[in-house]
Amino acid sequence: MTTLISGPLLPVLIGLALALFAVALAMIYLADETVRRRLFAAAGGRRSADANVSNAGLDWLTRFGAQVQERAGWKSAEDLGAMRLSLVRAGIYAPNAVEIFAAVRILLAMALGFLFGILVIGLRVDNALLGALLVMLGAAVGLYTPVLLVRARGADRIHDLRLALPDAIDLLVVCMEAGSSLTQGMQRVSQELKGAHPVLCEQLQITLLEMQAGASRSEALRNLGERAPDDRLKTLITLLIQSDQLGAGVGQTLRVFADEMRKSRLIEAEHKAAELPVKISIPLVTCIFPCLMAIIFTPIIIRFIRILFQVGT
């Protein structure tokens, strides 16, 4: 096995290590800005030659991802728009995120495919069909795992935004009734709730920046609904746009919507409380009930065995 690894499999292992290094580098690039700040602080706040190496690696990943998109037919506007939208919903706003994400998928598929191939050779699988299926399985896992991770991250961010929405609406109602405009109220909400609800504050800050860049209020709010596809948020955006177009009072509209949000949260809490007995029965039956039965019936079984043993003797 040692001669096998030192012989023809050594280039494969080197390529696998390089592919995983490229994937790790791209994941750091596609991470949140907080992750990059922590890495920069861990390095002592110094930028050394590693920064040039990382920039060169990211440039290579960008070119590689562009070639992958061109050869795989991912260059259409619909595919690129859907991929860009999924990355934005996951909180990834890097300019070359689509190309690097495509490169990560291909490199991870190649790395896991090579890894499964090494396992097939190391385990000496004689069935060629089974070995090919294992290699294809590893490649498929590497190809679709980043997509699933991005979707899961986007779903978590939408869940956090849904939890933060009632508090933000209440604070926005207070700001509007105090005489602030809608833009000033959104700015105040994004500042006050930054520590408690960072996802919502991030989306509000992006919306405010779009307004400052020249976009209309309705257009910026519609973009907010595209970045965070939550039903309640879209309802709020529709109410704000209609109130702005019709000239109605936004404060009264927000107060009515805040009352509806409180009622919906109460109904949702009651619904979860009603589901609790059914959900708690699963660990009760699988974990607690067998232990309880063992404690109750073990002395009876022991006594029964002793009686049978005495009768037998």
Side-chain angles (χ1 to χ4, degrees), residues 99-122:
E99 290 80 6
I100 294 178
F101 184 71
V104 166
R105 293 182 62 188
I106 299 301
L107 289 175
L108 194 58
M110 293 171 60
L112 291 182
F114 280 131
L115 180 60
F116 274 66
I118 293 172
L119 292 177
V120 168
I121 296 175

Side-chain angles (χ1 to χ4, degrees), residues 33-48 51:
E33 185 64 27
T34 55
V35 177
R36 290 192 287 272
R37 284 200 300 267
R38 289 198 299 267
L39 291 174
F40 183 69
R46 300 185 303 273
R47 292 188 178 272
S48 58

Side-chain angles (χ1 to χ4, degrees), residues 26-27 29-31 58-70 72-107 143 146-147 150:
M27 287 300 181
Y29 176 71
L30 295 176
L58 291 174
D59 292 338
W60 179 83
L61 284 175
T62 303
R63 293 193 301 269
F64 180 71
Q67 293 178 1
V68 167
Q69 290 178 353
E70 185 176 357
W74 297 345
K75 271 291 187 180
S76 63
E78 295 180 358
D79 295 337
L80 292 178
M83 192 176 298
R84 167 65 68 180
L85 184 59
S86 63
L87 291 175
V88 167
R89 288 175 178 176
I92 301 172
Y93 305 102
N96 298 325
V98 177
E99 290 80 6
I100 294 178
F101 184 71
V104 166
R105 293 182 62 188
I106 299 301
L107 289 175
L143 186 63
V147 178
V150 167

Side-chain angles (χ1 to χ4, degrees), residues 96-162:
N96 298 325
V98 177
E99 290 80 6
I100 294 178
F101 184 71
V104 166
R105 293 182 62 188
I106 299 301
L107 289 175
L108 194 58
M110 293 171 60
L112 291 182
F114 280 131
L115 180 60
F116 274 66
I118 293 172
L119 292 177
V120 168
I121 296 175
L123 296 176
R124 296 180 181 179
V125 178
D126 297 331
N127 193 343
L129 180 60
L130 179 60
L133 289 176
L134 289 176
V135 173
M136 293 175 62
L137 177 62
V141 169
L143 186 63
Y144 290 103
T145 298
V147 178
L148 297 178
L149 291 177
V150 167
R151 290 180 180 176
R153 184 176 176 182
D156 291 338
R157 287 172 60 87
I158 293 173
H159 179 69
D160 294 339
L161 190 143
R162 181 177 298 177

Side-chain angles (χ1 to χ4, degrees), residues 266-284:
L266 181 60
I267 293 173
E268 186 177 356
E270 292 177 351
H271 180 68
K272 290 183 178 180
E275 291 179 350
L276 186 60
V278 179
K279 292 181 179 179
I280 204 173
S281 63
I282 298 175
L284 181 65

